[in-house]
Amino acid sequence: MQQRRRVGAYGVCRDDGRLLLVRGSASAQFPGIWQLPGGGVEHAEHPAHAVVREVTEETGLTVEVAGLRAVVADVIPFPAADLAVHTDRLVFDLTVVGRSLRNERAGTTDEARWFTTDEAAGVPLIPFTAELLGLPVTPLPASAAGPAAFPPPPADRRLRFGVYGLVTDPAGRVLLTMIAEGYPGAGRWHLPGGGTDHGEQPVPALLRELVEESGQLGRVIELIGVDNLHNPAALGPEGRPLDWHGVRVVYRVAVDVPTEPRVTELAGGSTAQAAWFTPDQLAGLPLTEIATWSMGGRVG
């Protein structure tokens, strides 16, 4: 079965205890099923910008991003197309700043409506929406979807969804990894983490990467934010330019029993070394942008 990856951005809008949901239209993959408003992130687009655009398109509301609530992943099979689609879904809290609720015209949704939790429990829901609402999750039917619905990306374009950790120990040290030669950012100190595998959830992927790159056992504490990277002429081990789009989620991670960092073979060669640093030792280190961003306390 062919595999596809996509990233989606969705919004939680509330009004007097009610939640905004949209219904899939006849042209949607799952007609008649309700979900949080939102949709696919376009190439090079920041997920926070994507959710604002999608919510306005589907509901007419003007919204602002208040924070990143959750990041989940799911795989939906489409047997008729011999296809399995992995979607990494970023769910944002939104504030409504302009009110003119309307239904989408000639799109993949056909109705937008406010629901109480009890009312939402009475309609069919996309699984990720039901899970976020704490409602029973019902698997979707194996609806037909042609290959044209999920075309492969152009040969010179790449989308990578990654998870990274701002990792600390009880002494307040920060764990960083150095990027190996031959990879973008070589020689700079980076956050532990990397790309998720097809079918893998973000948090288990981060804890796996932490073991592979440093030998540490971590505990995820909280979601910090999301960083967006677009490099239209990235050069990597392939030796040729690629239009690279990276969506990178950052979590705060604690290592309760730190050990001497050790890079394993499973790290795949992109990590040259790993080390613990005191706050004083961080000054003057060549850091990647996402490492600087995360330690500066900014939330995407």
Side-chain angles (χ1 to χ4, degrees), residues 30 47 59-60 81 106 131-133 143 147 191 210 234 260 277:
F30 297 99
T59 72
E131 184 176 7
L132 283 166
L133 296 179
S143 300
L191 298 179
L210 183 59
E260 187 66 25
F277 294 91

Side-chain angles (χ1 to χ4, degrees), residues 202-263:
V203 168
L206 174 55
L207 298 180
R208 169 184 58 76
E209 290 278 350
L210 183 59
V211 171
E212 293 175 1
E213 295 183 347
S214 68
Q216 309 300 303
L217 298 178
R219 174 171 53 88
V220 172
I221 297 174
E222 65 176 337
L223 178 59
I224 294 178
V226 58
D227 171 75
N228 194 69
L229 172 67
H230 177 228
N231 185 344
L235 281 175
E238 301 89 349
R240 59 186 177 84
L242 292 172
D243 188 351
W244 184 272
H245 180 202
V247 176
R248 307 182 294 184
V249 174
V250 181
Y251 292 86
R252 193 177 305 278
V253 180
V255 172
D256 298 316
V257 184
T259 61
E260 187 66 25
R262 179 177 60 87
V263 181

Side-chain angles (χ1 to χ4, degrees), residues 54-135:
E54 285 280 348
V55 170
T56 299
E57 289 174 1
E58 294 179 351
T59 72
L61 298 178
T62 304
V63 297
E64 293 179 348
V65 171
L68 181 60
R69 169 182 287 254
V71 184
V72 296
D74 55 58
V75 177
I76 298 177
F78 296 93
D82 190 35
L83 195 63
V85 180
H86 173 123
T87 304
D88 294 293
R89 304 182 191 269
L90 295 94
V91 182
F92 294 88
D93 285 315
L94 303 178
T95 302
V96 178
V97 295
R99 294 178 177 273
S100 181
L101 186 64
R102 53 126 178 97
N103 298 330
E104 186 176 15
R105 301 176 183 86
T108 56
T109 70
D110 60 10
E111 185 174 352
R113 191 197 310 172
W114 296 100
F115 286 83
T116 65
T117 301
D118 288 343
E119 290 169 342
V123 298
L125 296 170
I126 294 285
F128 87 93
T129 297
E131 184 176 7
L132 283 166
L133 296 179
L135 296 173

Side-chain angles (χ1 to χ4, degrees), residues 20-24 33-38 58-59 109 111-113:
L20 184 63
L21 298 176
V22 294
R23 186 177 64 183
I33 309 296
W34 294 82
Q35 68 171 35
L36 295 174
E58 294 179 351
T59 72
T109 70
E111 185 174 352
R113 191 197 310 172

